[in-house]
Amino acid sequence: MAEPIRVLLVDDHQVVRRGLRTFLEVQDDIEVVGEAADGAEGVARAEELRPDVVLMDIKMPGMDGVDALRRLRELDNSARVLIVTSFTEQRTVVPALRAGAAGYVYKDVDPDALAGAIRSVHAGHILLQPEVAGALLSQDVAGTGQGRGGSLTEREREVLGLIADGRSNREIARALVLSEKTVKTHVSNILMKLDLADRTQAALWAVRHGVTG
């Protein structure tokens, strides 16, 4: 049996954390390993516990979710961050995605959909609503790496196209008959050549430049 997905809850409202914990603890493949009440504590707990997935609120006192995301990136923490927010405005969600979030859901999300979202980002997928993806494409994050696509090898372009389709490394490896280690190397080379920070930016770059799987 596979190891459960280790999840850290970061939200300044105790009732929200309690509700999330109550639901997630009945999932056989998900384990809540800790909680934090603000961004700074969330970063510290993420470094201490090394969860697979962090459920992160955006608006919190002190260090908010966006700054916490940036700090986790600086620390090279490997946790996938799923934003859980009550805010629907693009101006609130887009900065979090630009800071490295793997996607977002709203706090009124159906419990089963939340569990599915956790499994999805843990598998390496990116969760973007179409309207938010459009907003990201219109900003400079999507233009990073402009004109550098010619430096990619044919295989790297294949991998990039599959990233844009939301495929995980395991799925890409299966589709291209490669090892996961080789796919990880290709992904690292793609990010380096295009001067991109993460898979979200790579997916958006691919969409903007017509690279599809």
Side-chain angles (χ1 to χ4, degrees), residues 6 25-26 37 41 45 58 78 103-104 114 123 131 138-139 147 150 198 201 203 213:
R6 304 174 73 252
E25 284 184 338
V26 303
E41 184 183 3
R45 296 288 279 166
I58 293 180
S78 62
Y104 73 96
L114 174 62
E131 66 273 14
S138 69
Q139 298 184 19
D198 53 41
Q201 292 188 10

Side-chain angles (χ1 to χ4, degrees), residues 23-104:
F23 168 70
L24 294 176
E25 284 184 338
V26 303
Q27 304 297 311
D28 293 336
D29 60 339
I30 296 174
E31 176 187 3
V32 177
V33 296
E35 300 180 17
D38 58 44
E41 184 183 3
V43 171
R45 296 288 279 166
E47 284 292 281
E48 172 193 355
L49 299 170
R50 291 286 165 171
D52 300 307
V53 176
V54 178
L55 299 189
M56 181 91 73
D57 191 12
I58 293 180
K59 298 294 186 181
M60 295 181 286
M63 180 184 287
D64 65 14
V66 175
D67 287 337
L69 276 160
R70 291 175 180 143
R71 182 59 181 150
L72 287 173
R73 177 183 287 176
E74 290 171 359
L75 293 169
D76 199 26
N77 191 290
S78 62
R80 300 276 286 171
V81 178
L82 179 64
I83 294 296
V84 183
T85 180
S86 57
F87 296 91
T88 60
E89 300 92 343
Q90 292 180 8
R91 61 185 176 82
T92 300
V93 177
V94 166
L97 295 170
R98 294 182 64 187
Y104 73 96

Side-chain angles (χ1 to χ4, degrees), residues 110-157:
D110 177 85
D112 290 333
L114 174 62
I118 291 171
R119 297 180 185 111
S120 183
V121 298
H122 178 249
H125 297 294
I126 298 165
L127 298 180
L128 292 178
Q129 298 294 332
E131 66 273 14
V132 173
L136 279 165
L137 284 169
S138 69
Q139 298 184 19
D140 59 352
V141 66
T144 305
Q146 183 77 27
R148 298 178 184 172
S151 65
L152 298 178
T153 65
E154 182 176 350
R155 178 64 84 187
E156 287 166 352
R157 291 182 70 85

